Amino acid sequence: MISFFSGILTTTPPQFEAIRLNIGDVASDYLKQLLDTAASLGADRSVLLKRIGIEEEALTDPSVRFDLTQLMKLGYVAIEMTGDPSLGLRFGASS
């Protein structure tokens, strides 16, 4: 694959083409851990999932990836529901 990045023409070696990820993707486990942190601080897990539009089953499938907008939405709603603006710090400390 040939791509143009920051004014430099680059090629991707064939052995890496199959494992390319979209920029901004995060693993389902990452969202699950953030959800677990929010729930431990009092957020209602089912309400939180409903508000962000994600099914619980998707969080248990390691092949599922979410884009950064879904991660940001989860963080925003989780902070709103817990009332804890340091949620991100607590999440980082628990992972």
Coordinates of all heavy atoms in Angstrom, one line a residue:
M1 N 0.9 -1.2 0.0 CA 0.0 0.0 0.0 C 0.9 1.2 0.0 O 1.9 1.3 0.7 CB -0.9 0.0 1.2 CG -1.7 1.3 1.4 SD -2.7 1.3 2.9 CE -4.1 0.5 2.2
I2 N 0.5 2.2 -0.8 CA 1.3 3.5 -0.9 C 0.4 4.5 -0.3 O -0.8 4.6 -0.5 CB 1.6 3.8 -2.3 CG1 2.6 2.7 -2.9 CG2 2.3 5.2 -2.4 CD1 2.8 2.9 -4.4
S3 N 1.0 5.4 0.6 CA 0.2 6.4 1.2 C 1.0 7.7 1.2 O 2.2 7.7 1.1 CB -0.3 6.0 2.6 OG 0.8 5.7 3.4
F4 N 0.3 8.8 1.5 CA 1.0 10.1 1.5 C 0.8 10.6 2.9 O -0.3 10.8 3.4 CB 0.3 11.1 0.5 CG 1.1 12.3 0.3 CD1 2.2 12.4 -0.4 CD2 0.6 13.5 0.9 CE1 2.9 13.6 -0.6 CE2 1.2 14.7 0.7 CZ 2.4 14.7 -0.1
F5 N 1.8 10.8 3.7 CA 1.8 11.2 5.1 C 2.7 12.4 5.3 O 3.9 12.3 5.1 CB 2.1 10.1 6.0 CG 2.1 10.4 7.4 CD1 0.9 10.6 8.1 CD2 3.3 10.5 8.1 CE1 0.9 10.9 9.4 CE2 3.3 10.8 9.5 CZ 2.1 11.0 10.1
S6 N 2.2 13.5 5.7 CA 3.0 14.7 6.0 C 4.0 15.1 4.9 O 5.2 15.4 5.1 CB 3.8 14.5 7.3 OG 2.9 14.3 8.4
G7 N 3.5 15.0 3.7 CA 4.4 15.4 2.6 C 5.4 14.3 2.1 O 6.2 14.6 1.3
I8 N 5.3 13.1 2.7 CA 6.3 12.1 2.4 C 5.5 10.9 1.9 O 4.5 10.4 2.4 CB 7.0 11.6 3.7 CG1 7.8 12.8 4.3 CG2 8.0 10.5 3.3 CD1 8.4 12.5 5.7
L9 N 5.9 10.4 0.7 CA 5.3 9.2 0.1 C 5.9 8.0 0.8 O 7.1 7.8 0.9 CB 5.7 9.2 -1.4 CG 4.9 8.2 -2.2 CD1 3.4 8.4 -2.2 CD2 5.4 8.2 -3.6
T10 N 5.0 7.2 1.4 CA 5.5 6.0 2.1 C 4.8 4.7 1.6 O 3.8 4.8 0.9 CB 5.1 6.1 3.6 OG1 3.7 6.2 3.7 CG2 5.7 7.3 4.2
T11 N 5.4 3.6 1.9 CA 4.8 2.3 1.5 C 4.7 1.5 2.8 O 5.5 1.6 3.7 CB 5.6 1.6 0.5 OG1 6.9 1.3 1.0 CG2 5.7 2.3 -0.8
T12 N 3.7 0.7 2.8 CA 3.4 -0.2 3.9 C 3.9 -1.6 3.5 O 3.5 -2.1 2.5 CB 2.0 -0.3 4.3 OG1 1.5 1.0 4.6 CG2 1.7 -1.2 5.5
P13 N 4.8 -2.2 4.2 CA 5.2 -3.6 3.9 C 4.0 -4.5 3.9 O 3.1 -4.4 4.7 CB 6.2 -4.0 5.0 CG 6.7 -2.7 5.6 CD 5.5 -1.7 5.4
P14 N 4.0 -5.5 2.9 CA 2.8 -6.3 2.8 C 2.5 -7.1 4.0 O 1.3 -7.3 4.3 CB 3.3 -7.3 1.7 CG 4.4 -6.6 1.0 CD 5.0 -5.7 1.9
Q15 N 3.4 -7.5 4.9 CA 3.1 -8.2 6.1 C 2.3 -7.4 7.1 O 1.7 -8.0 8.0 CB 4.4 -8.8 6.7 CG 5.3 -7.8 7.3 CD 6.4 -7.3 6.3 OE1 6.2 -7.3 5.1 NE2 7.5 -6.9 6.9
F16 N 2.3 -6.1 7.0 CA 1.6 -5.2 7.9 C 0.2 -4.8 7.4 O -0.6 -4.2 8.1 CB 2.4 -4.0 8.3 CG 3.7 -4.4 9.1 CD1 4.9 -4.1 8.6 CD2 3.6 -5.1 10.3 CE1 6.0 -4.4 9.2 CE2 4.7 -5.4 11.0 CZ 6.0 -5.1 10.4
E17 N -0.1 -5.0 6.1 CA -1.3 -4.5 5.5 C -2.5 -5.1 6.2 O -3.5 -4.4 6.4 CB -1.3 -4.7 4.0 CG -0.4 -3.7 3.3 CD -0.6 -3.7 1.8 OE1 -1.6 -4.2 1.3 OE2 0.4 -3.2 1.2
A18 N -2.5 -6.3 6.6 CA -3.7 -7.0 7.1 C -4.0 -6.5 8.6 O -5.1 -6.7 9.0 CB -3.4 -8.5 7.1
I19 N -3.0 -5.9 9.2 CA -3.3 -5.5 10.6 C -3.4 -4.0 10.8 O -3.4 -3.5 11.9 CB -2.2 -6.1 11.6 CG1 -0.8 -5.5 11.2 CG2 -2.2 -7.6 11.6 CD1 0.3 -5.8 12.2
R20 N -3.6 -3.3 9.7 CA -3.8 -1.9 9.8 C -5.0 -1.5 10.6 O -6.1 -2.2 10.4 CB -3.8 -1.2 8.5 CG -2.5 -1.3 7.7 CD -2.6 -0.6 6.4 NE -3.0 0.7 6.5 CZ -2.2 1.8 6.5 NH1 -0.9 1.6 6.5 NH2 -2.7 3.0 6.6
L21 N -5.0 -0.6 11.5 CA -6.1 -0.1 12.2 C -6.5 1.3 11.8 O -5.7 2.0 11.3 CB -5.8 -0.1 13.7 CG -5.4 -1.4 14.3 CD1 -5.0 -1.2 15.8 CD2 -6.5 -2.4 14.3
N22 N -7.8 1.6 11.9 CA -8.2 3.0 11.6 C -7.7 3.9 12.7 O -7.7 3.5 13.9 CB -9.7 3.1 11.5 CG -10.3 2.3 10.4 OD1 -9.6 2.3 9.3 ND2 -11.4 1.8 10.5
I23 N -7.3 5.1 12.4 CA -6.8 6.0 13.4 C -8.1 6.4 14.2 O -9.1 6.7 13.7 CB -6.2 7.3 12.7 CG1 -4.9 6.9 12.1 CG2 -6.0 8.4 13.8 CD1 -4.3 8.0 11.3
G24 N -7.9 6.3 15.5 CA -9.0 6.7 16.4 C -9.8 5.5 16.9 O -10.8 5.7 17.6
D25 N -9.4 4.3 16.6 CA -10.1 3.1 17.1 C -9.6 2.7 18.4 O -8.4 2.9 18.7 CB -9.9 1.9 16.2 CG -10.7 1.9 14.9 OD1 -11.5 2.8 14.7 OD2 -10.5 1.1 14.1
V26 N -10.5 2.3 19.3 CA -10.1 1.7 20.6 C -10.8 0.4 20.8 O -11.8 0.1 20.3 CB -10.5 2.7 21.8 CG1 -9.7 3.9 21.7 CG2 -12.0 3.0 21.8
A27 N -10.1 -0.5 21.5 CA -10.6 -1.8 21.8 C -11.8 -1.8 22.7 O -12.0 -0.9 23.5 CB -9.5 -2.7 22.4
S28 N -12.7 -2.8 22.5 CA -13.9 -2.9 23.3 C -13.6 -2.9 24.8 O -14.3 -2.4 25.6 CB -14.8 -4.1 22.9 OG -14.0 -5.3 23.0
D29 N -12.5 -3.6 25.1 CA -12.1 -3.7 26.6 C -11.8 -2.3 27.2 O -12.1 -2.1 28.4 CB -10.9 -4.6 26.7 CG -10.7 -5.0 28.2 OD1 -11.6 -5.5 28.8 OD2 -9.5 -4.7 28.6
Y30 N -11.3 -1.4 26.4 CA -11.0 -0.1 26.9 C -12.3 0.6 27.3 O -12.4 1.2 28.4 CB -10.3 0.7 25.8 CG -9.6 2.0 26.3 CD1 -8.4 1.9 27.0 CD2 -10.2 3.2 26.0 CE1 -7.8 3.1 27.5 CE2 -9.6 4.4 26.5 CZ -8.4 4.3 27.2 OH -7.8 5.4 27.6
L31 N -13.4 0.5 26.5 CA -14.6 1.1 26.9 C -15.2 0.4 28.1 O -15.8 1.0 28.9 CB -15.6 1.1 25.7 CG -15.7 2.4 24.9 CD1 -14.5 2.6 24.1 CD2 -16.9 2.4 24.0
K32 N -15.1 -0.9 28.1 CA -15.6 -1.7 29.2 C -15.0 -1.3 30.5 O -15.7 -1.1 31.5 CB -15.4 -3.2 29.0 CG -16.0 -4.1 30.1 CD -15.7 -5.6 29.8 CE -16.3 -6.4 30.9 NZ -15.9 -6.1 32.3
Q33 N -13.7 -1.1 30.5 CA -13.0 -0.6 31.7 C -13.5 0.7 32.2 O -13.7 1.0 33.4 CB -11.5 -0.6 31.5 CG -10.9 -2.0 31.4 CD -9.4 -2.0 31.2 OE1 -8.7 -1.0 31.3 NE2 -8.9 -3.1 30.7
L34 N -13.7 1.6 31.2 CA -14.2 3.0 31.6 C -15.6 2.9 32.1 O -16.0 3.5 33.1 CB -14.2 3.9 30.4 CG -14.6 5.3 30.6 CD1 -13.9 6.0 31.8 CD2 -14.5 6.1 29.3
L35 N -16.4 2.0 31.5 CA -17.8 1.8 32.0 C -17.8 1.2 33.4 O -18.5 1.6 34.3 CB -18.5 0.8 31.1 CG -20.0 0.5 31.4 CD1 -20.9 1.7 31.4 CD2 -20.5 -0.6 30.5
D36 N -16.9 0.2 33.7 CA -16.7 -0.4 35.0 C -16.3 0.7 36.0 O -16.9 0.7 37.2 CB -15.7 -1.5 35.0 CG -16.1 -2.7 34.2 OD1 -17.3 -2.9 33.9 OD2 -15.2 -3.5 33.9
T37 N -15.4 1.6 35.7 CA -15.0 2.6 36.6 C -16.2 3.5 36.9 O -16.4 3.9 38.1 CB -13.9 3.4 36.0 OG1 -12.8 2.6 35.7 CG2 -13.4 4.5 36.9
A38 N -16.9 3.9 35.9 CA -18.1 4.8 36.1 C -19.1 4.1 37.0 O -19.7 4.7 37.9 CB -18.7 5.2 34.8
A39 N -19.4 2.8 36.8 CA -20.3 2.1 37.6 C -19.9 2.0 39.0 O -20.7 2.1 39.9 CB -20.5 0.7 37.0
S40 N -18.6 1.8 39.2 CA -18.0 1.7 40.6 C -18.2 3.1 41.3 O -18.2 3.1 42.6 CB -16.6 1.3 40.6 OG -15.7 2.4 40.2
L41 N -18.4 4.1 40.6 CA -18.6 5.5 41.2 C -20.0 5.9 41.3 O -20.4 7.0 41.6 CB -17.8 6.5 40.4 CG -16.3 6.3 40.5 CD1 -15.6 7.3 39.5 CD2 -15.8 6.6 41.9
G42 N -20.9 4.9 41.0 CA -22.4 5.1 41.1 C -23.2 5.3 39.9 O -24.4 5.5 40.0
A43 N -22.6 5.3 38.7 CA -23.4 5.4 37.5 C -24.1 4.2 37.2 O -23.6 3.1 37.5 CB -22.5 5.7 36.3
D44 N -25.4 4.3 36.8 CA -26.2 3.1 36.5 C -25.7 2.6 35.1 O -25.8 3.3 34.1 CB -27.7 3.5 36.4 CG -28.6 2.3 36.1 OD1 -28.3 1.5 35.2 OD2 -29.6 2.2 36.8
R45 N -25.1 1.4 35.1 CA -24.5 0.8 34.0 C -25.5 0.7 32.8 O -25.1 1.1 31.6 CB -24.0 -0.6 34.3 CG -23.2 -1.3 33.3 CD -22.7 -2.6 33.9 NE -21.8 -3.2 33.0 CZ -20.5 -3.0 33.1 NH1 -20.0 -2.3 34.1 NH2 -19.6 -3.6 32.3
S46 N -26.7 0.2 33.0 CA -27.6 0.0 31.9 C -28.1 1.4 31.3 O -28.3 1.5 30.1 CB -28.8 -0.8 32.3 OG -29.5 -0.2 33.4
V47 N -28.3 2.4 32.2 CA -28.7 3.7 31.7 C -27.5 4.3 30.9 O -27.8 4.9 29.8 CB -29.1 4.6 32.9 CG1 -29.3 6.1 32.4 CG2 -30.3 4.1 33.6
L48 N -26.3 4.2 31.4 CA -25.2 4.7 30.7 C -25.0 4.1 29.3 O -24.8 4.8 28.3 CB -23.9 4.5 31.5 CG -22.6 5.1 31.0 CD1 -22.7 6.5 30.7 CD2 -21.5 4.8 32.1
L49 N -25.1 2.8 29.2 CA -25.0 2.1 27.9 C -26.1 2.5 27.0 O -25.9 2.8 25.8 CB -25.1 0.6 28.1 CG -23.9 -0.1 28.6 CD1 -24.2 -1.5 29.1 CD2 -22.7 -0.1 27.6
K50 N -27.3 2.7 27.5 CA -28.5 3.2 26.7 C -28.2 4.6 26.1 O -28.4 4.9 25.0 CB -29.8 3.1 27.4 CG -31.0 3.4 26.6 CD -32.2 3.2 27.4 CE -33.4 3.5 26.5 NZ -34.7 3.2 27.2
R51 N -27.7 5.4 27.0 CA -27.5 6.8 26.6 C -26.4 6.9 25.5 O -26.4 7.9 24.7 CB -27.1 7.7 27.8 CG -28.3 8.0 28.6 CD -28.1 9.0 29.7 NE -27.6 10.3 29.1 CZ -27.1 11.3 29.9 NH1 -27.0 11.1 31.2 NH2 -26.7 12.4 29.3
I52 N -25.4 6.1 25.5 CA -24.3 6.1 24.5 C -24.6 5.2 23.3 O -23.9 5.3 22.3 CB -23.0 5.9 25.1 CG1 -22.8 4.5 25.7 CG2 -22.6 6.9 26.2 CD1 -21.5 4.1 26.1
G53 N -25.7 4.4 23.4 CA -26.1 3.6 22.3 C -25.2 2.4 22.0 O -25.0 2.0 20.8
I54 N -24.7 1.8 23.0 CA -23.8 0.6 22.9 C -24.4 -0.6 23.6 O -24.9 -0.4 24.8 CB -22.4 0.9 23.4 CG1 -21.7 1.9 22.6 CG2 -21.6 -0.4 23.5 CD1 -20.3 2.4 23.1
E55 N -24.4 -1.7 23.0 CA -24.9 -2.9 23.6 C -23.8 -3.6 24.5 O -22.7 -3.6 24.1 CB -25.4 -4.0 22.6 CG -26.5 -3.5 21.7 CD -27.8 -3.4 22.4 OE1 -28.0 -4.2 23.3 OE2 -28.6 -2.5 22.0
E56 N -24.2 -4.1 25.7 CA -23.3 -4.7 26.6 C -22.5 -5.8 25.9 O -21.3 -6.0 26.1 CB -24.0 -5.3 27.8 CG -23.1 -5.9 28.8 CD -22.5 -5.0 29.8 OE1 -23.1 -4.0 30.2 OE2 -21.3 -5.2 30.2
E57 N -23.1 -6.6 25.0 CA -22.5 -7.7 24.3 C -21.3 -7.3 23.5 O -20.3 -8.0 23.4 CB -23.5 -8.5 23.5 CG -24.6 -9.1 24.2 CD -25.7 -8.2 24.6 OE1 -26.0 -7.2 23.9 OE2 -26.3 -8.4 25.7
A58 N -21.4 -6.1 22.9 CA -20.3 -5.6 22.1 C -19.0 -5.4 22.9 O -17.9 -5.5 22.4 CB -20.7 -4.3 21.4
L59 N -19.2 -5.1 24.2 CA -18.0 -4.8 25.1 C -17.3 -6.1 25.5 O -16.2 -6.1 26.0 CB -18.5 -4.1 26.3 CG -19.1 -2.7 26.1 CD1 -19.6 -2.1 27.4 CD2 -18.1 -1.8 25.4
T60 N -17.9 -7.3 25.3 CA -17.3 -8.5 25.6 C -16.6 -9.2 24.4 O -16.0 -10.3 24.6 CB -18.3 -9.5 26.3 OG1 -19.3 -9.8 25.4 CG2 -18.9 -8.9 27.6
D61 N -16.8 -8.6 23.3 CA -16.2 -9.2 22.0 C -14.9 -8.5 21.7 O -14.8 -7.3 21.4 CB -17.2 -9.0 20.9 CG -16.7 -9.6 19.6 OD1 -15.5 -10.0 19.5 OD2 -17.5 -9.8 18.7
P62 N -13.7 -9.2 21.9 CA -12.4 -8.5 21.7 C -12.2 -8.1 20.3 O -11.3 -7.3 20.0 CB -11.4 -9.6 22.1 CG -12.2 -10.9 22.1 CD -13.6 -10.6 22.3
S63 N -13.0 -8.6 19.3 CA -12.8 -8.1 17.9 C -13.5 -6.8 17.6 O -13.2 -6.2 16.6 CB -13.2 -9.2 16.9 OG -14.6 -9.4 17.0
V64 N -14.4 -6.4 18.5 CA -15.1 -5.1 18.2 C -14.2 -4.0 18.6 O -13.6 -4.0 19.7 CB -16.4 -5.1 19.1 CG1 -17.1 -3.8 18.9 CG2 -17.3 -6.2 18.6
R65 N -14.3 -2.9 17.8 CA -13.5 -1.7 18.0 C -14.5 -0.5 18.0 O -15.5 -0.6 17.2 CB -12.4 -1.6 17.1 CG -11.4 -2.7 17.2 CD -10.1 -2.5 16.4 NE -9.4 -1.4 16.9 CZ -8.5 -1.4 18.0 NH1 -8.4 -2.5 18.7 NH2 -7.9 -0.3 18.3
F66 N -14.2 0.5 18.7 CA -15.1 1.7 18.7 C -14.3 2.9 18.3 O -13.1 2.9 18.6 CB -15.6 1.9 20.1 CG -16.6 0.8 20.6 CD1 -16.1 -0.3 21.3 CD2 -17.9 0.8 20.3 CE1 -16.9 -1.3 21.7 CE2 -18.8 -0.2 20.7 CZ -18.3 -1.2 21.4
D67 N -14.9 3.8 17.7 CA -14.1 5.0 17.3 C -14.1 6.0 18.5 O -14.8 5.8 19.5 CB -14.7 5.7 16.0 CG -16.1 6.3 16.2 OD1 -16.4 6.8 17.3 OD2 -16.8 6.3 15.2
L68 N -13.2 7.0 18.4 CA -13.0 7.9 19.5 C -14.2 8.7 19.9 O -14.3 9.1 21.0 CB -11.8 8.8 19.1 CG -10.4 8.2 19.2 CD1 -9.4 9.2 18.8 CD2 -10.2 7.7 20.6
T69 N -15.1 9.0 18.9 CA -16.3 9.7 19.3 C -17.1 8.9 20.3 O -17.7 9.5 21.2 CB -17.2 10.1 18.1 OG1 -17.5 8.9 17.4 CG2 -16.4 11.0 17.1
Q70 N -17.2 7.6 20.2 CA -17.9 6.8 21.1 C -17.2 6.8 22.5 O -17.9 6.9 23.5 CB -18.1 5.4 20.6 CG -19.0 5.3 19.4 CD -19.0 4.0 18.7 OE1 -17.9 3.6 18.3 NE2 -20.1 3.4 18.6
L71 N -15.9 6.8 22.5 CA -15.1 6.9 23.8 C -15.4 8.2 24.4 O -15.6 8.3 25.6 CB -13.7 6.7 23.5 CG -12.7 6.9 24.7 CD1 -13.0 5.9 25.8 CD2 -11.3 6.9 24.2
M72 N -15.3 9.3 23.7 CA -15.5 10.6 24.2 C -17.0 10.8 24.8 O -17.2 11.4 25.8 CB -15.3 11.7 23.2 CG -13.8 11.7 22.7 SD -12.6 11.9 24.0 CE -13.0 13.6 24.5
K73 N -17.9 10.2 24.0 CA -19.3 10.3 24.5 C -19.5 9.5 25.8 O -20.1 10.0 26.8 CB -20.3 9.7 23.4 CG -21.7 9.9 23.8 CD -22.6 9.5 22.6 CE -24.1 9.7 22.9 NZ -24.9 9.2 21.8
L74 N -18.9 8.4 25.9 CA -18.9 7.6 27.1 C -18.3 8.4 28.3 O -18.9 8.5 29.4 CB -18.2 6.2 27.0 CG -18.1 5.4 28.3 CD1 -19.4 5.1 28.9 CD2 -17.3 4.1 28.0
G75 N -17.2 9.0 28.1 CA -16.5 9.7 29.1 C -17.3 10.9 29.6 O -17.5 11.2 30.8
Y76 N -17.9 11.6 28.6 CA -18.7 12.8 28.9 C -20.0 12.4 29.8 O -20.2 13.0 30.8 CB -19.2 13.5 27.6 CG -20.0 14.7 27.9 CD1 -19.5 15.9 28.2 CD2 -21.4 14.6 27.8 CE1 -20.3 17.0 28.4 CE2 -22.2 15.7 28.0 CZ -21.7 16.9 28.3 OH -22.4 18.0 28.6
V77 N -20.7 11.4 29.3 CA -21.9 11.0 30.0 C -21.6 10.4 31.3 O -22.3 10.6 32.3 CB -22.7 10.0 29.1 CG1 -23.9 9.4 29.9 CG2 -23.2 10.7 27.8
A78 N -20.5 9.6 31.4 CA -20.0 9.0 32.7 C -19.7 10.1 33.7 O -20.1 10.0 34.9 CB -18.9 8.1 32.5
I79 N -19.0 11.1 33.3 CA -18.7 12.2 34.2 C -20.0 12.9 34.7 O -20.2 13.2 35.8 CB -17.7 13.3 33.6 CG1 -16.4 12.6 33.5 CG2 -17.7 14.6 34.4 CD1 -15.4 13.4 32.6
E80 N -20.9 13.1 33.7 CA -22.2 13.7 34.0 C -23.0 12.9 35.1 O -23.5 13.4 36.0 CB -23.0 13.9 32.8 CG -24.4 14.5 32.9 CD -25.1 14.5 31.6 OE1 -24.8 15.4 30.8 OE2 -25.9 13.7 31.4
M81 N -23.0 11.6 34.9 CA -23.8 10.7 35.7 C -23.1 10.5 37.1 O -23.8 10.3 38.1 CB -24.0 9.3 35.0 CG -25.0 9.4 33.9 SD -25.2 7.8 33.1 CE -26.2 7.0 34.4
T82 N -21.8 10.5 37.2 CA -21.1 10.3 38.4 C -20.9 11.6 39.2 O -20.7 11.6 40.4 CB -19.8 9.6 38.3 OG1 -18.9 10.5 37.5 CG2 -19.9 8.2 37.6
G83 N -20.9 12.7 38.5 CA -20.6 14.0 39.1 C -19.2 14.1 39.5 O -18.8 15.0 40.3
D84 N -18.3 13.2 38.9 CA -16.9 13.2 39.3 C -16.0 13.6 38.1 O -15.8 12.8 37.2 CB -16.5 11.8 39.7 CG -15.1 11.7 40.2 OD1 -14.3 12.7 40.1 OD2 -14.8 10.6 40.8
P85 N -15.6 14.9 38.1 CA -14.8 15.4 37.0 C -13.4 14.7 36.9 O -12.7 14.8 35.9 CB -14.6 16.9 37.2 CG -14.9 17.0 38.7 CD -15.8 15.9 39.1
S86 N -13.0 14.0 37.9 CA -11.7 13.3 37.9 C -11.9 11.8 37.5 O -11.0 11.0 37.7 CB -11.0 13.4 39.3 OG -11.8 12.7 40.3
L87 N -13.0 11.5 36.8 CA -13.2 10.1 36.4 C -12.1 9.6 35.6 O -11.7 8.4 35.7 CB -14.5 10.1 35.6 CG -14.9 8.7 35.0 CD1 -15.3 7.7 36.1 CD2 -16.0 8.8 34.0
G88 N -11.6 10.4 34.7 CA -10.5 9.9 33.8 C -9.2 9.6 34.6 O -8.5 8.6 34.3
L89 N -9.0 10.3 35.7 CA -7.8 10.0 36.5 C -8.1 8.7 37.3 O -7.2 7.8 37.4 CB -7.5 11.1 37.5 CG -7.1 12.4 36.9 CD1 -7.0 13.5 38.0 CD2 -5.7 12.3 36.2
R90 N -9.3 8.5 37.7 CA -9.6 7.2 38.4 C -9.5 6.0 37.5 O -9.0 5.0 37.8 CB -11.0 7.3 39.1 CG -11.1 8.4 40.2 CD -12.5 8.4 40.7 NE -12.7 9.6 41.6 CZ -12.4 9.6 42.8 NH1 -11.8 8.5 43.4 NH2 -12.6 10.6 43.6
F91 N -10.0 6.2 36.3 CA -9.9 5.2 35.2 C -8.5 4.8 34.9 O -8.1 3.7 34.9 CB -10.6 5.7 34.0 CG -10.4 4.8 32.8 CD1 -10.8 3.5 32.7 CD2 -9.8 5.4 31.6 CE1 -10.6 2.7 31.6 CE2 -9.6 4.6 30.5 CZ -10.0 3.3 30.5
G92 N -7.6 5.8 34.8 CA -6.2 5.6 34.5 C -5.5 4.8 35.7 O -4.7 3.9 35.5
A93 N -5.9 5.2 36.9 CA -5.3 4.6 38.1 C -5.7 3.1 38.2 O -5.0 2.3 38.7 CB -5.7 5.3 39.3
S94 N -6.9 2.8 37.7 CA -7.4 1.4 37.8 C -7.0 0.5 36.7 O -7.2 -0.7 36.7 CB -8.9 1.4 37.9 OG -9.5 1.8 36.7
S95 N -6.4 1.1 35.6 CA -6.0 0.2 34.5 C -4.6 -0.1 34.4 O -3.8 0.2 35.2 CB -6.5 0.8 33.2 OG -6.3 2.2 33.1

